């Protein structure tokens, strides 16, 4: 058992994600000869909201926080996207992530445009009361923008079902009645959907099974997963339980390796009860501690980056040994790394498909909230699999139609852009 302390620095704020998102957009736009008119339209943002707001802290002091909400496009419906609490949030990142949400919603063919939000805060440094104060004040600042027919936030990094419950309550109190459709990712007892919490990780699992169908699915494959939060932990557990060997696993504090496969079910249960991944590995001798970078360059069949953006760059893409990457995180691959993967024949299942399970079940939650209905988890999972499998096949067909050199990312972007352009053309310009 080594005791090396891995360095898990966050990529430099803003590094790459807006530039990569725009580069990927233009590559797809070039392939379909998108007119300059639509290029300009789709590389502009409908609303960019920035606020600095006060929050009362437990010691009675007032602290000022900065938050953003960016709506990219509304052609296909109200906007949808997560709210992130992180010290690394930047406006450029939020703009990029809002644009990615537009393509993602279009790719899985749900009637939403894209949005994203964030507050510059380290939520682990705040008490529950301070987090509640911050969330309620930020929600109040957002009131002119959000609403069940306008813009519907959801959890993202650093936020969870409790955050959404506070947002829903704050918005509802200002209106005088309960409006469950204003956010998704709520606790099930407050109108949240069965299966929402696991949806993104489960979507990754469904897509891997579809992609590897001819090889019998994930069973027997070796896997490395970066990030053990909402997305990474569920994806890793389902992949492990389907018979794959998860050799590497990491969170922000530690990276684990077990050549025989990590018992992800046990790790999931330990972390789910508030335990620490590293302490679990050390106490149970379940894995050795390795360097953070080893998780990305691991000698495995499948790599699942499911933590933060811009972790696969020109600096490490040449060392990646997995032949298949499925992007659990948003924007984990820079444009330069993407090109290197393409040149090396490494297949990337892109974020706008790979992690679309979350927004898909958010859509189901919104539908249920508006009808005051509750679907069973079995129905949610079945519908999720149907929409994701359809999206996967649409993309595979499109990539084949465009021809050699068309990556799944390019095909997904093409489908997303075309569906938004179709809506824009049908709606026309007003006035
Ligand atoms: P989370 O906060 O639940 O978990 C993030 C995990 O990543 C944690 O285990 C954290 O310790 C780890 N981490 C953070 N920085 C790291 C680093 N530098 N190296 C290794 N691990 C690191 O967040 P989440 O909801 O799982 O989201 C992860 C990614 O997936 C984000 O990019 C998010 O935008 C994206 N995403 C989330 C959802 C969703 O439904 N939650 C949906 C779509 C996309």
């Amino acid at each position: 058992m080594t005791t090396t302390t891995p360095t898990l620095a966050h990529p430099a704020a803003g590094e790459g994600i807006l530039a990569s998102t725009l580069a990927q957009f233009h590559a797809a736009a070039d392939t379909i000869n998108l007119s300059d008119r639509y290029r300009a339209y789709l590389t502009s943002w409908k609303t960019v909201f920035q606020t600095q707001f006060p929050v009362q802290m437990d010691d009675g002091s007032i602290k000022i926080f900065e938050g953003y909400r960016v709506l990219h496009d509304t052609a296909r419906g109200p906007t949808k996207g997560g709210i992130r609490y992180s010290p690394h949030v930047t406006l450029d990142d939020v703009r990029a992530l809002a644009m990615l949400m537009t393509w993602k919603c279009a790719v899985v063919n749900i009637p939403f445009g894209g949005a994203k939000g964030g507050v510059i805060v380290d939520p682990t440094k705040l008490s529950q009361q301070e987090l509640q104060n911050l969330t309620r004040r930020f929600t109040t600042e957002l009131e002119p923008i959000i609403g069940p027919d306008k813009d519907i936030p959801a959890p993202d990094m650093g936020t969870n079902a409790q955050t959404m419950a506070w947002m829903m309550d704050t918005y509802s109190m200002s209106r005088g009645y309960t409006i469950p459709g204003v956010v998704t990712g709520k606790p099930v007892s407050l109108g949240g959907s069965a299966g929402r919490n696991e949806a993104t990780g489960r979507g990754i699992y469904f897509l891997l099974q579809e992609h590897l169908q001819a090889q019998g699915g994930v069973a027997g494959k070796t896997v490395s997963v970066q990030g053990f939060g909402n997305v990474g932990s569920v994806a890793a557990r389902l992949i492990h339980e389907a018979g794959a060997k998860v050799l590497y696993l990491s969170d922000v504090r530690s990276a684990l390796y077990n050549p025989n496969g990590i018992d992800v079910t046990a790790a999931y249960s330990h972390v789910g009860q508030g335990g620490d991944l590293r302490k679990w590995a050390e106490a149970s001798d379940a894995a050795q501690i390795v360097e953070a970078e080893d998780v990305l360059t691991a000698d495995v069949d499948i790599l699942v980056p499911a933590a933060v953006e811009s972790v696969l760059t020109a600096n490490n893409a040449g060392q990646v040994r997995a032949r298949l990457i499925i992007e659990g995180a948003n924007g984990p691959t820079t444009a330069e790394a993407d090109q290197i993967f393409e040149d090396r024949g490494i297949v990337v299942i892109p974020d706008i498909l790979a992690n679309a399970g979350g927004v898909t079940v958010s859509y189901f939650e919104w539908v249920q909230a508006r009808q005051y209905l509750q679907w069973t988890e079995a129905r949610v999972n079945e519908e999720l699999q149907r929409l994701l499998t359809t999206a996967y096949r649409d993309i595979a067909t499109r990539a084949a139609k465009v021809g050699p050199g068309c990556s799944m990312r390019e095909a997904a972007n093409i489908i997303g852009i075309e569906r938004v352009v179709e809506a824009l053309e049908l709606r026309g310009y007003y006035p």
Side-chain angles (χ1 to χ4, degrees):
M1 189 78 58
T2 66
T3 52
T4 328
T5 303
T7 46
L8 288 165
H10 189 280
E15 189 184 273
I17 185 161
L18 183 58
S20 298
T21 304
L22 286 170
Q24 285 155 4
F25 166 82
H26 285 297
D30 287 348
T31 303
I32 56 173
N33 292 320
L34 187 69
S35 69
D36 288 345
R37 189 162 67 121
Y38 284 123
R39 254 180 224 257
Y41 193 104
L42 294 174
T43 51
S44 55
W45 282 259
K46 178 178 159 49
T47 303
V48 177
F49 177 83
Q50 179 169 5
T51 177
Q52 292 176 328
F53 58 97
V55 176
Q56 178 149 17
M57 310 303 281
D58 289 345
D59 64 3
S61 65
I62 299 291
K63 212 170 154 190
I64 305 295
F65 289 88
E66 179 153 323
Y68 312 105
R69 184 74 183 167
V70 175
L71 318 186
H72 175 242
D73 188 75
T74 55
R76 288 172 48 87
T79 46
K80 189 91 195 71
I83 292 198
R84 174 177 289 199
Y85 288 174
S86 158
H88 308 289
V89 167
T90 69
L91 184 53
D92 272 358
D93 282 1
V94 176
R95 276 154 40 102
L97 293 164
M99 179 185 269
L100 284 174
M101 284 303 297
T102 301
W103 314 140
K104 192 183 296 183
C105 293
V107 159
V108 287
N109 221 349
I110 57 177
F112 291 135
K116 202 77 179 188
V119 177
I120 304 174
V121 57
D122 182 346
T124 63
K125 303 257 159 65
L126 267 58
S127 70
Q128 279 298 99
Q129 186 59 51
E130 289 169 338
L131 274 176
Q132 181 173 170
N133 293 352
L134 179 142
T135 301
R136 288 189 182 277
R137 179 63 193 235
F138 185 50
T139 306
T140 308
E141 300 285 341
L142 291 178
E143 268 196 29
I145 300 172
I146 61 175
D149 292 311
K150 287 157 73 178
D151 174 42
I152 307 128
D156 192 71
M157 279 172 62
T159 55
N160 55 27
Q162 177 61 75
T163 322
M164 294 304 114
W166 290 328
M167 288 194 81
M168 191 275 271
D169 184 70
T170 307
Y171 184 85
S172 297
M173 287 305 101
S174 78
R175 298 293 191 283
Y177 61 102
T178 299
I179 307 172
V182 66
V183 290
T184 59
K186 298 179 292 294
V188 174
S189 56
L190 275 184
S193 179
R196 170 62 185 90
N197 200 36
E198 297 203 325
T200 309
R202 190 176 295 279
I204 290 171
Y205 166 71
F206 283 152
L207 287 162
L208 278 176
Q209 293 293 51
E210 176 69 20
H211 184 79
L212 298 169
Q213 207 175 24
Q215 301 165 42
V218 294
K221 297 279 185 278
T222 54
V223 187
S224 179
V225 181
Q226 185 195 45
F228 203 62
N230 178 286
V231 179
S233 68
V234 173
R237 179 173 62 82
L238 293 174
I239 290 167
H240 162 76
E241 288 171 0
K245 276 189 184 171
V246 178
L247 303 187
Y248 292 81
L249 202 58
S250 70
D251 68 5
V252 72
R253 282 178 295 278
S254 43
L256 315 185
Y257 169 62
N258 182 334
N260 301 314
I262 296 166
D263 181 352
V264 187
T265 309
Y268 183 87
S269 152
H270 181 83
V271 172
Q273 288 160 27
D276 180 78
L277 190 63
R278 184 189 185 111
K279 282 189 190 143
W280 168 79
E282 286 174 342
S284 60
D285 230 19
Q288 20 177 326
I289 308 295
V290 293
E291 296 290 334
E293 192 67 12
D294 295 351
V295 175
L296 298 173
T297 56
D299 188 7
V300 288
D301 300 313
I302 305 165
L303 171 63
V304 189
V308 290
E309 60 278 1
S310 307
V311 293
L312 295 167
T313 67
N315 294 331
N316 59 10
Q319 282 85 57
V320 167
R321 282 179 283 177
R323 302 307 298 165
L324 173 64
I325 299 172
I326 182 159
E327 296 183 328
N330 284 310
T333 310
T334 65
E336 295 85 3
D338 220 23
Q339 189 57 53
I340 295 170
F341 293 146
E342 219 175 308
D343 295 345
R344 295 183 56 212
I346 296 174
V347 174
V348 179
I349 302 182
D351 47 8
I352 60 172
L353 171 66
N355 66 35
V359 76
T360 302
V361 175
S362 272
Y363 165 57
F364 300 157
E365 179 177 334
W366 180 76
V367 168
Q368 292 169 77
R370 313 213 71 188
Q371 299 179 334
Y372 295 94
L373 265 179
Q374 284 234 303
W375 295 2
T376 61
E377 184 168 352
R379 177 171 178 193
V380 168
N381 291 344
E382 194 182 309
E383 292 283 330
L384 171 65
Q385 186 166 20
R386 188 175 63 79
L387 262 67
L388 289 182
T389 305
T390 304
Y392 174 91
R393 291 177 186 168
D394 285 350
I395 290 167
T397 306
R398 191 61 202 247
K401 196 169 159 202
V402 174
C406 180
S407 65
M408 287 193 75
R409 188 186 315 280
E410 187 176 351
N413 275 313
I414 288 173
I415 288 175
I417 293 166
E418 283 181 343
R419 287 182 180 162
V420 176
V421 167
E422 186 185 352
L424 285 170
E425 276 187 343
L426 288 167
R427 289 178 68 149
Y429 290 91
Y430 178 81

